Amino acid sequence: MKSVTVIGASLAGLHTARALRSQGYDGRLTIVGDERHRPYDRPPLSKGFLTGTTGQGQLALADAEETAELDAEWLLGTRATRLDTGSRTVHLDTGRTLATDGVVLATGATPRRLPGPGSPPSGTHTLRTLEDARALRRDLTRGGSARVAVIGGGFLGAEVASSCAALGHEVTVIEAAALPLVPQLGRGMAELCARLPADHGVTLLTGTGVAQLHGAGADNRVTAVELTDGRLLPADVVVVGIGVRPATDWLADSGLPLGDGVRCDAGCVTPIPAVVAVGDVANVDGTRAEHWTSATEQAATAARNLLAGRTAAAHRALPYFWSDQYGVRIQFAGRRLPGDTPRILEGSPDDRSFLAGYQRAGRTTAVLALNRPRPFLRLRRELARAAQPATA
């Protein structure tokens, strides 16, 4: 293999490029990214960057020396528009085409928008990119306390709400489900985590959706959120955090199997062995994981298989994610099923600090911790050792 093109200057794309080099690939390496920035860390955007405690320079995922070692051609501010898998050619929005032997798909995901015609009022934000975070931060620091409505009570919505509350704003979170985070944590543990917003003066409204946003003035500035139950919630700033969808539109005529991402096998390999997928865009063996650790851990497996021209290894890492909100670090690892029973192992939910294990037939399947990093790490390691290892 003499040339590899990575589509997506992302966490997953960068780690796959690094893995290719570390595994001995010395051919031409091209990295295409639709943003103007080199790969940066996204989790701080909803936390430290939003509150001003983390600067842009601290977001970089590679320093100048590490970037130079990759010996890659960077095409930033450039969007891939089409992939011709037959000729192995990538078409770019600049009109340029790239002939390549191997392709890494690392285009990530894009935020879901509220349904409805037209553009939302000004002051309405999504949060995915650095530019999104800059725009939201400008609105939050215009002066004085603002009424902020966060639509979506998942991890991103909770982190944004926590940051806005820390900045002194009046925050309301709107969640359509009866309780946030039930799919991830199960009802019992989700109920415990749902106590956190009230500790910091944040209002959590559940079981209701958004009917429409109201705006006024010459710039159609947002003034209120109309809920599906008829209530009208005054708002100066709105953040929409209702999930993401994998960025696969440009692959519609590629012939690759699409459906909740790019479908690939357990080794991140598509039906075309010279094309692999990693990160948020990858549906690996029937599962798409939108987590930092998944993006980094898939990289080595995808690189190995791309260079081998076949699935020589499978990605079997233990799922893990974390979230920092309201002064609490929530950590979760394992494979929880709906029938698994959680049990507090140490600490107390009343103190917002505890360790819980999920049990199935006498076996621990997953572990959840709030502000218990050391015991969590120990149990996470035990779960990882018990999990099926990667196989050749």
Side-chain angles (χ1 to χ4, degrees):
M1 188 167 288
K2 296 181 179 179
S3 60
V4 174
T5 301
V6 178
I7 310 298
S10 58
L11 172 73
L14 174 66
H15 275 260
T16 309
R18 285 173 170 169
L20 287 166
R21 291 303 194 205
S22 68
Q23 294 178 26
Y25 173 69
D26 60 1
R28 178 166 60 86
L29 180 60
T30 305
I31 302 175
V32 179
D34 59 359
E35 294 186 64
R36 296 181 291 105
H37 312 286
R38 294 272 172 100
Y40 58 88
D41 208 15
R42 295 186 192 276
L45 296 182
S46 59
K47 299 182 278 288
F49 185 81
L50 206 56
T51 59
T53 59
T54 300
Q56 182 176 338
Q58 296 169 273
L59 300 177
L61 289 170
D63 59 26
E65 182 179 353
E66 292 169 325
T67 300
E69 288 175 352
L70 280 179
D71 189 24
E73 178 186 8
W74 294 82
L75 301 179
L76 300 177
T78 303
R79 186 169 54 88
T81 58
R82 184 170 177 264
L83 173 62
D84 186 332
T85 52
S87 63
R88 214 74 53 75
T89 303
V90 179
H91 296 253
L92 307 178
D93 63 355
T94 60
R96 180 179 173 182
T97 58
L98 302 173
T100 184
D101 296 325
V103 178
V104 177
L105 301 175
T107 47
T110 58
R112 295 187 183 278
R113 311 281 175 169
L114 289 174
S119 299
S122 61
T124 305
H125 301 266
T126 56
L127 182 55
R128 179 72 181 181
T129 68
L130 179 57
E131 298 308 319
D132 292 339
R134 283 174 169 168
L136 177 56
R137 190 164 71 173
R138 283 195 297 270
D139 254 1
L140 294 173
T141 55
R142 293 174 65 178
S145 176
R147 297 166 299 183
V148 180
V150 179
I151 303 171
F155 286 120
L156 177 65
E159 290 170 0
V160 170
S162 172
S163 296
C164 291
L167 290 170
H169 299 298
E170 179 186 329
V171 185
T172 301
V173 177
I174 304 160
E175 169 58 46
L179 193 67
L181 304 179
V182 171
Q184 295 87 353
L185 306 180
R187 185 168 186 85
M189 294 296 102
E191 286 176 345
L192 297 181
C193 291
R195 300 176 185 177
L196 296 175
D199 292 346
H200 296 263
V202 173
T203 301
L204 174 62
L205 302 179
T206 61
T208 184
V210 173
Q212 63 176 317
L213 303 180
H214 293 265
D219 60 350
N220 192 32
R221 180 80 193 182
V222 68
T223 58
V225 179
E226 183 179 338
L227 305 180
T228 51
D229 61 13
R231 283 179 289 177
L232 200 64
L233 179 68
D236 306 304
V237 177
V238 172
V239 184
V240 180
I242 55 175
V244 297
R245 59 181 185 85
T248 58
D249 290 352
W250 69 286
L251 295 169
D253 65 350
S254 66
L256 294 173
L258 306 177
D260 190 30
V262 179
R263 293 181 180 174
C264 40
D265 65 16
C268 305
V269 181
T270 72
I272 300 173
V275 180
V276 298
V278 290
D280 290 0
V281 77
N283 189 316
V284 180
D285 200 24
T287 300
R288 191 174 65 83
E290 299 169 4
H291 304 302
W292 197 96
T293 47
S294 298
T296 59
E297 291 172 347
Q298 290 168 359
T301 301
R304 177 180 174 184
N305 292 333
L306 182 63
L307 296 177
R310 61 184 179 86
T311 302
H315 173 69
R316 302 292 188 195
L318 186 75
Y320 165 68
F321 61 83
W322 80 93
S323 175
D324 294 316
Q325 50 185 270
Y326 305 109
V328 172
R329 167 154 286 200
I330 301 173
Q331 295 173 282
F332 181 94
R335 295 181 173 88
R336 183 194 71 84
L337 293 180
D340 295 354
T341 303
R343 182 167 63 91
I344 302 295
L345 302 177
E346 64 174 69
S348 169
D350 292 336
D351 298 330
R352 310 303 189 249
S353 176
F354 65 87
L355 180 74
Y358 293 81
Q359 305 289 320
R360 185 192 317 152
R363 181 173 61 90
T364 300
T365 59
V367 58
L368 168 70
L370 270 65
N371 280 349
R372 294 271 168 161
R374 288 188 178 180
F376 173 85
L377 179 59
R378 174 177 52 80
L379 284 185
R380 180 188 173 193
R381 286 172 173 168
E382 291 178 5
L383 281 174
R385 282 195 294 267
Q388 181 180 354
T391 57

